[in-house]
Amino acid sequence: MKPDCKAPNNTHPAQSTATSPVEVIQLGVWRVFLAKGSPFFDFGARYKKWRLLYSTAAKLTMDFLVLAPIHFPLLCLATLFQRVAPVIRWHLFSRCLFMIELGVTRGQFDAIAITHAVVARIAFAATLAVITCCSQKAEFIVQTRIISHFEAISFECKPREFSASGREEDLISSPDVFYAYRDLLISVGRVLSIATQLYYVGSLASNKADAFIYGTLFLLQPFIRDFARRSLWDEQWVATSSEPHFNRMESLKSIVREPRYEQEINTNGNIKEYLVGEYKNARRALGDISSSYPPAQYGVTQRVDLSVLSAILGDIHMFYCLASAILHPSRSTLSRVIMLQKAGDLMFYELDTFVDDFHAAENGLASVKRVYDVLASNIDHRKDGNVDFSLSEPNGMELSLKNVSFSYPNCDDGLKVDDISLTIKPGQLVVIVGANGSGKSTLLKLLTRLYDCSSGNIAIDGRDIREYKLTSLQETIAVLTQDHHTFPLSLGENIGIGNPKEVRNRCLIEASARKGGAYEFIANRTDKYDTVLESTAVNYMGHLCCPEDDTALTKIFRGFVKKTEVSGGERQRVAASRTFMRLTTGKIRLVVADEPSSNLDPQGESELLQNLIDERQGKTMIFVTHRLGILTKEADLILCMKEGRLVEQGTHKELMAAKNDGTHGEYFNLYQIQAKAYVH
Ligand SMILES: Nc1ncnc2c1ncn2[C@@H]1O[C@H](COP(=O)(O)OP(=O)(O)OP(=O)(O)O)[C@@H](O)[C@H]1O
C-alpha cells in the first residue's frame, strides 16, 4: 500500500488533542516533534532559560580568565571592538560624504576638514587591521588552552559516564566549549553594535522625534520577520523517519556500508543482487516524498502575510525619509538619506545574525552546563556506598539474592531478571546456563553492580551490595566477558593494564600471557610485546587528495592508518591474559567470566578454563557458558535460567537426576541436546 504522503505543514492528529506542549508534524519522511510556541522573542521563556545558563556562563568566564588571564580579556575587547567597527567606519565615511556634498553644493571644499576625515578613516582602518591580527593570535592561544583543559575534563568524565550507564553518551567536544563562549561574546558584541547604530541613527536624524521614528522602524522589521519566519533552527525539535520505504532503504544501505556485514555479502552473490533489487523497489515506492533534512523542509512553510509585511517594513524607513525630505527640504541632504538607508541595512543584518548567534550560544552553553553537571554530580546513577571491602577475608565472596528483579532503564520491555533468590557460598564454582536471552549476562551485571536491581536485594558477605564503596568493590572483582576488547596500545600494555601497578613487569605479563593462551602468538610477532595494535595518530587527508588514487601521497597516507590485525580468538586470548594479570593484584575475590572462550578452538578453550579454575583459591568463580560439560561437571552449583527466571539449581548430578512429574528438567534437556550433537 502506498504510504500516506502529507503536505509539509499538515498537523498530526495528536496536535488536535492539544493541551500537549508538543506539536507533531510530518515533513516528507520525517515525523517531527516540536516544542510548541517558543519564538525568539518569547522573553519569558528566554529569561527562564538564561537564569539556568547564567551560572554556566559565569563559571566558564572564570575558567577562561584563569586559563588565559591576559589573552582572554584581550580577545573580549577585540571581539567587541570588531563588532562596533562597522558603525564607526560608517560614521567616518559619512563625515567625508557630508563634506563632499557640502563642497559640491557650495562650490568650495574645506581641504583641512576633508584631510582630517580621510586621515581619521585611514588611521581607523589600520587600527582595526592591527586589532584583528592581535585578536586572531589571542583567539588561537585561548582556544588551545580551553581545548586542552576540557579534553582533560572530558577524559575524566567519560569513563564515569560509561561505567554508570553501560553506554557512552558523548559530552560536548572540547573545541565546541570554546565556540559556545565565542558565540556568546559575539552576541554581546552584536547588542553593543545595535546600540551604537541606534545612537548613530539618532545623530543622523534631524531631531529627536525623527531619531525615535527611525529607530522604531529599523527595529520593527526584524521583529515581524521573526514571527513570519518558521525555522527549525530556532526551535526545539526531534524527528524520526516514519516512512517505511525510507527506513527500509536506510537498513539496506547500512547492510552494504557496515564492515561487519562485508564478508557475508561478498561471499554470497545472491545477497548482493537481492539487496540492490530491494533498494530500487523501496526507492520507487518512496516516490517524491522528500527525505531532505527537516529544517530545510520546514523553511518552506513560512506565513506569507507576515513575510510580505516584513518585506514592506524593510523599506518603510526609506519612504519616511523621502516624505520627510519632501516636507522639510531644508532639513534633508542626499548623504543623510544614503547613510540612513545603509544604517538600516546594517542594523537589520546585526539583528538577524544576532538571533542565530544567540541561539548557538544558548545551545553551546547548555552543553557546557552538562559538562559541569557531570563533574559536579559524579553522574554515576548508582549511589556510592561508604563501606570498604574487607580484603582480610581469605575465602571468596558470599553472594545472596533475595527476590531480585530487574528491567533495563529506559526500556519498557519487561523484567529481564524475574524474582530470583539464591545463595552462592564463598569459594564456590558456579556455572550459569540457559538459552539465549534468558538473562544470564544481566544477572552477572547485577552481581558486579553494573546496574542496581529494580526490586529485591543483593548482599555480599551479608551486607547490602549498595553499602560498599564502588571503587572498593571493583577492586575485588575480575570480569572477563565475551565482548573482548583490545586497546590501541602495545600488546604488553594490553595485558599489563590488568594490574596497572605492574604494567611494565615483563615477567608477570609473560606469565599471564601463558595462562591466557596469548604467549605463542605474541612470541611470533616481530615486535613481540611492543607490537602496537592500532596507531593512535590522528590522520587527515587534504580535500584535494582522492583516497582511491594511487599517488605517492595516498600511499603515505595508507601507511599512516595501517593496523596490526589480530584474529577474534587472539583478541580473546589477550583479554583473558589481562584477566590473569588482574589476578596478580592479590585483591580479587570474585571472578566473573561470561563465555570467555566463545572464540577459542577446543584446545584453547579447555586450557583457558582449566587455568582459570586453577586460580580458584580464595575466590568465588561464576561462569556463564553454553557449552555444558567442561565446567558444569566440576561446578559446585549450576544455575539454570529461562526467560529471566531461575528454573533450576544444583550440581550436575542432581540436575541430571531431577524429575518433576516424571519429566526431566531444563538442564537435562539442554545437556541432552548438546550430547546428541556430539554423538551424531
Ligand atoms: N542494555 C540492554 N538494554 C535493554 N535490554 C537488554 C540490554 N542488554 C540485554 N537486554 C535484553 O535482556 C534480555 C536478557 O539478555 P542477556 O544478555 O542477559 O541474556 P543472555 O542469557 O546472557 O543471552 P546470551 O546467551 O545470548 O548471551 C534479552 O532480551 C536482551 O535483549
Side-chain angles (χ1 to χ4, degrees):
M1 191 180 79
K2 199 174 180 328
D4 207 3
C5 170
K6 292 177 178 163
N9 57 356
N10 273 356
T11 48
H12 186 268
Q15 189 195 2
S16 56
T17 61
T19 44
S20 150
V22 174
E23 183 184 348
V24 188
I25 57 173
Q26 189 76 26
L27 296 173
V29 301
W30 309 106
R31 174 153 298 169
V32 181
F33 298 79
L34 200 61
K36 264 187 186 169
S38 61
F40 182 76
F41 293 106
D42 179 349
F43 291 115
R46 286 248 113 55
Y47 172 70
K48 271 191 207 149
K49 200 167 179 178
W50 269 92
R51 261 192 27 195
L52 279 178
L53 295 181
Y54 170 75
S55 58
T56 307
K59 203 161 180 199
L60 201 54
T61 309
M62 286 313 294
D63 276 353
F64 273 64
L65 269 173
V66 170
L67 290 167
I70 295 171
H71 295 93
F72 174 60
L74 270 179
L75 179 64
C76 291
L77 288 175
T79 308
L80 297 182
F81 182 75
Q82 281 168 324
R83 294 269 51 88
V84 292
V87 189
I88 301 174
R89 201 165 40 213
W90 269 101
H91 175 68
L92 293 172
F93 180 66
S94 69
R95 268 176 62 195
C96 298
L97 208 61
F98 281 137
M99 278 174 222
I100 293 167
E101 189 180 28
L102 208 64
V104 171
T105 323
R106 292 183 184 162
Q108 190 185 4
F109 289 92
D110 183 346
I112 295 174
I114 290 180
T115 312
H116 279 169
V118 170
V119 168
R121 169 126 182 157
I122 291 172
F124 176 77
T127 312
L128 184 62
V130 171
I131 288 176
T132 305
C133 286
C134 293
S135 96
Q136 278 167 353
K137 284 205 173 121
E139 177 170 335
F140 190 69
I141 290 170
V142 175
Q143 189 177 3
T144 308
R145 291 187 190 170
I146 288 294
I147 288 176
S148 43
H149 176 70
F150 276 87
E151 293 271 283
I153 287 184
S154 135
F155 194 77
E156 198 184 320
C157 293
K158 273 191 176 169
R160 282 196 229 167
E161 267 207 315
F162 182 69
S163 64
S165 62
R167 71 203 153 85
E168 189 166 347
E169 291 166 33
D170 251 351
L171 291 173
I172 185 173
S173 80
S174 308
D176 290 343
V177 175
F178 174 77
Y179 293 126
Y181 201 92
R182 202 190 56 178
D183 288 334
L184 178 67
L185 208 54
I186 290 178
S187 303
V188 174
R190 291 208 192 282
V191 172
L192 199 64
S193 162
I194 291 163
T196 324
Q197 277 170 45
L198 281 174
Y199 176 77
Y200 173 56
V201 167
S203 72
L204 283 176
S206 50
N207 56 42
K208 277 189 184 161
D210 262 5
F212 177 76
I213 291 170
Y214 279 125
T216 311
L217 292 177
F218 285 150
L219 290 176
L220 203 57
Q221 192 203 8
F223 272 87
I224 301 289
R225 215 185 89 119
D226 181 64
F227 287 115
R229 177 163 71 172
R230 299 197 62 183
S231 164
L232 278 190
W233 302 110
D234 299 342
E235 316 228 14
Q236 292 175 0
W237 60 277
V238 293
T240 178
S241 60
S242 56
E243 213 295 329
H245 298 303
F246 175 77
N247 287 348
R248 181 153 176 82
M249 280 164 61
E250 288 301 299
S251 308
L252 293 163
K253 261 197 267 179
S254 79
I255 297 174
V256 173
R257 279 183 191 155
E258 284 185 27
R260 61 193 159 122
Y261 303 121
E262 196 179 308
Q263 194 181 356
E264 185 134 11
I265 293 173
N266 286 339
T267 49
N268 188 338
N270 295 343
I271 292 188
K272 218 187 275 178
E273 216 172 280
Y274 172 76
L275 293 175
V276 173
E278 283 301 291
Y279 186 84
K280 282 183 185 163
N281 288 343
R283 175 69 266 179
R284 213 172 299 123
L286 188 64
D288 284 337
I289 303 174
S290 171
S291 59
S292 299
Y293 191 47
Q297 298 192 49
Y298 194 64
V300 181
T301 68
Q302 323 210 1
R303 277 185 59 180
V304 178
D305 50 351
L306 289 177
S307 299
V308 171
L309 182 64
S310 159
I312 293 171
L313 279 175
D315 276 337
I316 206 159
H317 61 271
M318 194 63 222
F319 303 141
Y320 178 77
C321 214
L322 287 174
S324 166
I326 292 164
L327 292 174
H328 311 285
S330 60
R331 288 198 300 206
S332 295
T333 63
L334 196 57
S335 57
R336 178 177 291 142
V337 174
I338 293 170
M339 297 321 291
L340 273 171
Q341 173 64 30
K342 188 66 199 175
D345 288 349
L346 259 179
M347 186 126 54
F348 178 73
Y349 171 78
E350 286 292 335
L351 267 166
D352 205 36
T353 40
F354 168 72
V355 173
D356 293 337
D357 288 335
F358 193 76
H359 275 300
E362 268 185 347
N363 294 337
L365 282 178
S367 304
V368 176
K369 181 174 182 302
R370 190 163 161 260
V371 177
Y372 283 130
D373 287 348
V374 167
L375 271 185
S377 69
N378 201 6
I379 192 80
D380 212 327
H381 308 300
R382 302 164 299 175
K383 210 165 161 244
D384 207 355
N386 51 19
V387 176
D388 269 317
F389 205 86
S390 160
L391 293 172
S392 54
E393 178 65 48
N395 296 318
M397 278 182 191
E398 183 194 60
L399 295 140
S400 65
L401 284 72
K402 220 183 231 173
N403 306 112
V404 168
S405 294
F406 175 75
S407 56
Y408 280 96
N410 306 323
C411 179
D412 38 9
D413 221 13
L415 291 176
K416 299 302 174 192
V417 165
D418 189 358
D419 196 21
I420 290 187
S421 297
L422 60 94
T423 300
I424 296 171
K425 295 195 188 113
Q428 274 193 327
L429 174 63
V430 180
V431 179
I432 309 179
V433 298
N436 291 126
S438 56
K440 303 181 295 294
S441 306
T442 307
L443 184 60
L444 289 190
K445 288 177 192 164
L446 297 178
L447 293 176
T448 50
R449 219 189 151 200
L450 210 55
Y451 290 95
D452 281 331
C453 50
S454 316
S455 64
N457 168 276
I458 298 177
I460 295 182
D461 293 351
R463 190 186 279 276
D464 191 313
I465 194 170
R466 286 166 288 203
E467 290 180 28
Y468 291 107
K469 274 188 195 159
L470 276 166
T471 46
S472 159
L473 198 61
Q474 283 155 2
E475 258 178 15
T476 59
I477 301 176
V479 180
L480 178 58
T481 68
Q482 52 191 325
D483 305 325
H484 35 273
H485 291 292
T486 45
F487 302 114
L489 303 169
S490 70
L491 282 170
E493 275 177 292
N494 259 289
I495 296 172
I497 209 167
N499 182 358
K501 281 193 184 143
E502 300 290 345
V503 72
R504 312 239 173 271
N505 186 332
R506 189 50 65 85
C507 261
L508 272 184
I509 291 175
E510 280 188 22
S512 304
R514 275 185 203 279
K515 291 178 187 166
Y519 184 83
E520 300 277 316
F521 96 83
I522 295 177
N524 289 335
R525 300 266 159 173
T526 321
D527 293 329
K528 309 229 176 326
Y529 289 88
D530 295 326
T531 310
V532 176
L533 294 181
E534 273 174 51
S535 161
T536 46
V538 176
N539 312 303
Y540 288 117
M541 181 178 268
H543 71 283
L544 292 180
C545 295
C546 174
E548 282 77 36
D549 285 352
D550 215 15
T551 63
L553 278 181
T554 50
K555 278 180 193 156
I556 291 172
F557 186 83
R558 277 176 216 134
F560 292 162
V561 291
K562 227 179 206 161
K563 271 188 189 177
T564 301
E565 293 296 343
V566 285
S567 72
E570 287 168 342
R571 197 170 294 133
Q572 194 157 44
R573 285 164 193 262
V574 172
S577 307
R578 192 186 303 140
T579 304
F580 282 104
M581 187 73 190
R582 187 151 167 64
L583 298 183
T584 66
T585 59
K587 296 180 178 174
I588 303 302
R589 293 193 46 223
L590 173 67
V591 176
V592 165
D594 189 350
E595 294 188 63
S597 51
S598 54
N599 276 335
L600 299 187
D601 50 52
Q603 191 187 343
E605 177 176 30
S606 82
E607 281 171 7
L608 173 66
L609 295 179
Q610 195 52 55
N611 288 341
L612 277 170
I613 291 169
D614 289 348
E615 300 277 342
R616 267 184 81 175
Q617 184 60 39
K619 300 169 196 77
T620 299
M621 287 198 166
I622 308 178
F623 288 83
V624 164
T625 185
H626 283 290
R627 301 191 205 176
L628 310 187
I630 303 181
L631 281 167
T632 50
K633 284 183 184 161
E634 286 208 40
D636 302 309
L637 178 66
I638 298 168
L639 305 172
C640 186
M641 293 191 65
K642 191 177 182 183
E643 293 165 6
R645 299 182 72 90
L646 179 62
V647 287
E648 280 180 288
Q649 55 176 313
T651 60
H652 174 74
K653 257 189 181 166
E654 288 164 356
L655 296 184
M656 288 302 283
K659 281 189 180 176
N660 195 1
D661 292 339
T663 49
H664 287 289
E666 180 75 8
Y667 179 79
F668 180 91
N669 293 334
L670 288 171
Y671 190 84
Q672 286 302 106
I673 292 168
Q674 282 201 4
K676 272 186 202 156
Y678 282 116
V679 171
H680 294 294

